[in-house]
Amino acid sequence: VKGTNIQENEYVKMGAYHTIELEPNRQFTLAKKQWDSVVLERIEQACDPAWSADVAAVVMQEGLAHVCLVTPSMTLTRAKVEVNIPRKRKGNCSQHDRALERFYEQVVQAIQRHINFEVVKCVLVASPGFVREQFCDYMFQQAVKTDNKLLLENRSKFLQVHSSSGHKYALKEALCDPAVTSRLSDTKAAGEVKALDDFYKMLQHEPDRAFYGLKHVEKANEAMAIDTLLISDELFRHQDVATRARYVKLVDSVRENMGTVRIFSSLHVSGEQLGQLTGVAAILRFPVAELSDQEDESSSEED
């Protein structure tokens, strides 16, 4: 962090140029005259590991399961499920089967309680043997019986992989599996890539439902027509405070009108593509033809 000193002390004179390094465990105070909703949301997400954990994992064996959230920097165990499973006896497997079912049910409950499917893009189910297959079969059979929309809608996010045990340390092997690494690369941006793809398709097939450029998007928002707003995080770093406030107001307004807001990272390829479209675009709920008509009229008047 660099800048001029505004408070004199024995080390740095008033107005002198100064640099300081921020590092873990060094306390600092960050002051800002006005905190807008976008900045506060980003700080909240940065401070809550659950927001950056777009990969979840269930590492299990018979009678033991760990439900974890995986962030780029750490693995958090959110739930540990332990159930004593009796051995199968000759001619009588009912006790074993009942205990196993009870175990599976507790794991399903832990998944629903601790995994936020709005954030998580992939759920690894890792186990030795056939435990993972049996568990997934049980989970989705129950989801169909109870009409559990949360699990059914996110079924494609579950990925079965091998691990040597149900202990947390076995997760490392699962994460090294080539099938897993290819699936996990870019999980955070997967939603943004899909949104941008949807926008391009809409622009091609129904141009009256796909707008870009601040003025056009603001007009669509006035008509409460925005279903999904695509906006680059670069715009919130604009040098002009009034312009920044305009983008924040747009984001707040779209959310108030029950629209979805996707903030793209300018460091990702999808963010770069959005930047080429002025950095702000929208997929509309219904066609808004007047805008393009007005534009045609104004351009013909100018001619």
Side-chain angles (χ1 to χ4, degrees):
V1 179
K2 54 191 174 183
T4 51
N5 197 25
I6 59 164
Q7 192 174 328
E8 193 161 350
N9 60 59
E10 58 181 299
Y11 306 107
V12 188
K13 288 181 181 176
M14 181 87 155
Y17 201 78
H18 185 53
T19 59
I20 188 169
E21 283 185 19
L22 298 180
E23 54 194 27
N25 305 317
R26 171 177 278 187
Q27 290 191 352
F28 66 94
T29 304
L30 179 65
K32 187 175 161 75
K33 285 178 183 174
Q34 190 180 354
W35 294 88
D36 58 58
S37 59
V38 173
V39 171
L40 288 171
E41 183 185 22
R42 297 195 77 178
I43 289 174
E44 195 176 306
Q45 289 180 13
C47 295
D48 181 1
W51 272 100
S52 59
D54 54 0
V55 177
V58 183
V59 197
M60 63 196 308
Q61 63 190 48
E62 276 200 5
L64 173 69
H66 289 82
V67 178
C68 310
L69 295 177
V70 184
T71 78
S73 56
M74 60 181 145
T75 302
L76 302 161
T77 303
R78 281 294 154 102
K80 183 180 179 183
V81 179
E82 276 186 289
V83 171
N84 185 32
I85 312 280
R87 286 185 178 181
K88 287 183 178 178
R89 297 183 188 278
K90 231 179 187 179
N92 181 16
C93 298
S94 59
Q95 272 190 310
H96 172 272
D97 292 346
R98 276 203 303 272
L100 202 57
E101 198 168 302
R102 194 167 71 248
F103 168 61
Y104 287 161
E105 179 54 37
Q106 287 184 28
V107 177
V108 172
Q109 287 174 4
I111 287 172
Q112 293 183 120
R113 194 177 304 122
H114 297 288
I115 296 177
N116 179 356
F117 284 100
E118 284 182 25
V119 178
V120 169
K121 305 288 192 301
C122 180
V123 184
L124 301 176
V125 183
S127 79
F130 297 102
V131 178
R132 57 187 178 277
E133 285 99 333
Q134 290 165 359
F135 167 70
C136 287
D137 289 346
Y138 170 84
M139 176 166 59
F140 292 116
Q141 280 169 13
Q142 290 300 312
V144 171
K145 278 183 195 172
T146 58
D147 193 27
N148 186 325
K149 288 190 172 64
L150 181 73
L151 290 175
L152 293 173
E153 285 171 6
N154 291 286
R155 187 171 188 160
S156 61
K157 292 182 181 179
F158 286 82
L159 180 65
Q160 296 180 28
V161 287
H162 172 78
S163 70
S164 57
S165 74
H167 293 278
K168 185 183 166 183
Y169 64 78
L171 180 59
K172 192 179 177 185
E173 329 158 4
L175 289 170
C176 293
D177 187 312
V180 175
T181 47
S182 64
R183 173 80 180 261
L184 299 191
S185 62
D186 235 12
T187 47
K188 195 71 185 167
E192 281 74 11
V193 170
K194 187 184 179 302
L196 195 62
D197 190 43
D198 291 345
F199 172 79
Y200 280 125
K201 282 177 186 168
M202 193 67 80
L203 194 62
Q204 199 175 352
H205 300 296
E206 287 185 74
D208 286 342
R209 284 184 59 198
F211 284 9
Y212 62 92
L214 184 57
K215 281 185 182 176
H216 283 71
V217 172
E218 280 179 333
K219 285 283 182 191
N221 184 48
E222 283 171 22
M224 291 169 65
I226 295 180
D227 182 44
T228 307
L229 176 70
L230 291 66
I231 190 162
S232 170
D233 61 358
E234 208 166 22
L235 301 177
F236 302 112
R237 297 195 289 269
H238 198 283
Q239 292 300 309
D240 181 39
V241 177
T243 307
R244 274 208 311 262
R246 193 173 166 186
Y247 289 120
V248 172
K249 188 182 174 187
L250 175 65
V251 167
D252 290 343
S253 179
V254 169
R255 282 179 176 153
E256 280 168 21
N257 295 330
M258 306 306 289
T260 305
V261 176
R262 291 205 169 271
I263 297 175
F264 285 62
S265 167
S266 56
L267 299 173
H268 190 269
V269 66
S270 60
E272 286 176 18
Q273 283 180 298
L274 184 61
Q276 290 164 7
L277 291 171
T278 72
V280 59
I283 300 169
L284 310 190
R285 295 188 178 102
F286 48 84
V288 180
E290 305 92 77
L291 268 179
S292 29
D293 294 345
Q294 285 171 11
E295 198 179 59
D296 292 343
E297 285 167 24
S298 62
S299 60
S300 60
E301 282 170 20
E302 283 170 18
D303 294 344

